Amino acid sequence: MKINSWIEVPENSDFPLQNIPFGIAKVGQLISPATRIGDSVILLSALADYGYFDELNIDDLSVFYQDVLNDLIALPKSCTISIREHLMNLFSASCDELKQDTEACTQAIFNINQVEMLLPVQIGDYTDFYSSIEHATNVGVMFRDPANALLPNWRHLPVGYHGRSSSIAVSGTNIHRPKGQTRPDDNLPPVFGPSKQVDFELEMGFITSTSTNLGDSISVEEAENHIFGLLLFNDLSARDIQRWEYVPLGPFLSKSFGSIVSPWIVTLEALEPFRVESPKQEPEVFEYLQSSGKRNFDIELEVFLQAENGSENLICKSNTKYLYWNIAQQLAHQTVAGCNINPGDFYASGTISGPTPDSFGSMLELCWKGTKPITLSDGSQRKFAEDNDTLIIRGFTRKNGLRIGFGECVTKILPTK
Ligand code: CA
């Protein structure tokens, strides 16, 4: 049965009482860890001020007063689970204690319109995987050989690279079109100037919550004990810069001019009812990557493109369940050689494309290398993002009348600086 909150939750909200995501909110000059129910943002620092976490016996309440969530999510998993369950209790319709404490409510509860959401964690390290077989196949077909679209390693390991964390920004941050080297004509020398092929990549990311020692590795079985939750991610990519620079070490400046995350970390506990099996893996993977049970999530993903002064155009519908390599396999592979991890590290899935052309998770694929432009509702066409286009990713799960979502991951492409 769905339990309701005494805070109003609009129909189709991503944030019912069963979600209780974690983020960092700014109200006036105050920055605080926060959660969200409906359109209400709840400052955890204010709840701590009024003693609402005292009964949890948390050693150090300073985790509720910091401007990033790194220390809060680094608490033992049993502790973060009890914080979330405690918040669900405090705000459930059957609980009056906080509801009748007008002073605490005034200090703690704000409408989302009064709040600015900040980057939820200080991201130490960032890895970008390449875990969608449909995406890797599409790219292989377009740029290499349709008969051998997947490279020989692809089905044996979750391919990834270490990315740049300093340029990961929160939803609502607008990004200037990058300039750089490109080589539009293979028979002529390279040129320098603004990228002409700015693209989105529809991705999900997860945040780790623990520290491991150099030399340690994490098994698939244990991996979720090290993961706090998931976010939406738009890994903006300049395809023309990427194409010229990526040999032989992979993407560099083409993917580090700005990447956008949604502000709310949705916990694995909230996503528990929405687990699904992963796609069958052929050939069988090495033992350290073997995964049983439901380790994928049925999260519907949508991308909208909005031209300046125009309406939103739905240009892609995909789903996290298509990922060939699940998050537990990604983390097991990340650490198998002995790389240590830390709370607040960020791991992106790679572009999540589905099997049909309307589910492709980038403009590169949707427009098939520029050969099939998208027509927007205002009649204009796109092969890649233009200046002042806004890209919006939304993601949510639905089952038995319960909807849990991530909110939005929004960015606008500004002209070159
Ligand atoms: Ca990517």
Side-chain angles (χ1 to χ4, degrees):
M1 193 186 81
K2 188 174 163 185
I3 302 162
N4 291 320
S5 172
W6 51 266
I7 291 185
E8 189 197 340
V9 177
E11 203 176 332
N12 279 329
S13 171
D14 283 347
F15 305 101
L17 182 67
Q18 289 75 7
N19 191 339
I20 307 291
F22 290 83
I24 293 288
K26 184 174 184 218
V27 185
Q29 292 306 304
L30 179 66
I31 296 175
S32 171
T35 190
R36 178 169 172 177
I37 297 172
D39 291 333
S40 299
V41 174
I42 297 136
L43 303 187
L44 305 188
S45 59
L47 296 184
D49 282 345
Y50 288 88
Y52 281 99
F53 293 116
D54 290 354
E55 69 188 74
L56 297 182
N57 295 317
I58 298 166
D59 291 341
D60 182 3
L61 288 174
S62 72
V63 296
F64 295 113
Y65 294 90
Q66 293 171 6
D67 57 9
V68 286
L69 292 171
N70 295 57
D71 288 351
L72 193 156
I73 68 176
L75 293 170
K77 192 99 170 170
S78 59
C79 188
T80 55
I81 287 173
S82 67
I83 291 170
R84 184 171 163 276
E85 287 176 350
H86 182 61
L87 289 166
M88 288 170 81
N89 281 334
L90 277 178
F91 289 97
S92 76
S94 58
C95 181
D96 275 352
E97 186 190 0
L98 174 60
K99 184 184 179 184
Q100 292 179 349
D101 187 345
T102 323
E103 195 182 322
C105 287
T106 307
Q107 299 298 319
I109 305 174
F110 295 85
N111 186 275
I112 186 70
N113 296 325
Q114 300 170 273
V115 174
E116 178 189 355
M117 295 305 299
L118 306 181
L119 197 63
V121 288
Q122 180 171 14
I123 299 171
D125 276 304
Y126 156 49
T127 296
D128 191 14
F129 286 101
Y130 193 52
S131 294
S132 156
I133 197 165
E134 289 84 1
H135 172 67
T137 302
N138 286 341
V139 172
V141 168
M142 275 188 275
F143 291 102
R144 286 188 302 272
D145 172 11
N148 298 288
L150 288 180
L151 287 167
N153 61 1
W154 201 91
R155 288 175 184 270
H156 293 278
L157 55 88
V159 170
Y161 69 95
H162 287 120
R164 181 84 186 172
S165 55
S166 69
S167 53
I168 297 177
V170 74
S171 177
T173 306
N174 297 330
I175 300 296
H176 289 277
R177 177 176 299 275
K179 47 187 182 285
Q181 290 192 28
T182 62
R183 193 180 190 187
D185 186 332
D186 287 341
N187 299 311
L188 295 173
V191 297
F192 179 83
S195 167
K196 294 186 169 72
Q197 298 184 345
V198 171
D199 198 357
F200 70 89
E201 287 190 336
L202 169 60
E203 306 196 21
M204 293 287 303
F206 68 85
I207 301 267
T208 47
S209 56
T210 61
S211 289
T212 57
N213 294 316
L214 190 60
D216 287 352
S217 53
I218 296 171
S219 68
V220 169
E221 280 307 310
E222 294 169 340
E224 289 185 3
N225 296 328
H226 299 267
I227 294 172
F228 185 72
L230 274 62
L231 300 153
L232 303 173
F233 187 55
N234 181 352
D235 185 22
L236 290 172
S237 301
R239 301 297 179 195
D240 44 0
I241 297 175
Q242 182 179 354
R243 184 168 165 270
W244 172 233
E245 74 175 1
Y246 87 102
V247 181
L249 291 184
F252 188 44
L253 307 182
S254 58
K255 287 172 182 277
S256 59
F257 60 93
S259 310
I260 310 297
V261 288
S262 53
W264 297 104
I265 308 176
V266 176
T267 64
L268 291 188
E269 290 71 40
L271 295 171
E272 191 61 36
F274 308 98
R275 287 178 177 276
V276 288
E277 305 260 352
S278 296
K280 185 166 171 52
Q281 296 186 316
E282 292 273 4
E284 192 176 351
V285 296
F286 282 105
E287 194 177 344
Y288 82 93
L289 286 170
Q290 284 176 11
S291 168
S292 58
K294 296 179 176 178
R295 297 194 191 276
N296 258 16
F297 298 93
D298 184 3
I299 302 169
E300 298 175 49
L301 301 168
E302 298 174 335
V303 184
F304 298 82
L305 191 153
Q306 183 176 26
E308 197 171 26
N309 305 320
S311 53
E312 291 182 5
N313 297 263
L314 177 64
I315 58 172
C316 163
K317 278 172 83 81
S318 188
N319 194 305
T320 305
K321 71 184 178 188
Y322 297 131
L323 286 173
Y324 187 86
W325 296 103
N326 61 51
I327 58 174
Q329 292 176 310
Q330 290 167 10
L331 190 57
H333 186 65
Q334 173 80 60
T335 59
V336 74
C339 176
N340 51 332
I341 64 164
N342 284 301
D345 287 352
F346 184 66
Y347 306 79
S349 59
T351 305
I352 306 174
S353 294
T356 55
D358 62 348
S359 64
F360 294 168
S362 65
M363 295 185 82
L364 177 71
E365 296 162 87
L366 288 167
C367 303
W368 208 256
K369 240 168 76 175
T371 60
K372 297 177 186 171
I374 296 169
T375 302
L376 305 183
S377 54
D378 65 4
S380 65
Q381 291 196 318
R382 292 290 184 282
K383 295 175 181 171
F384 292 98
E386 293 189 356
D387 288 351
N388 301 309
D389 281 352
T390 299
L391 295 158
I392 306 157
I393 297 177
R394 298 195 176 99
F396 53 90
T397 55
R398 284 186 289 200
K399 194 177 182 182
N400 301 332
L402 179 64
R403 173 185 168 122
I404 287 186
F406 292 77
E408 294 182 332
C409 177
V410 183
T411 187
K412 185 175 179 178
I413 306 301
L414 303 175
T416 298
K417 206 170 184 174

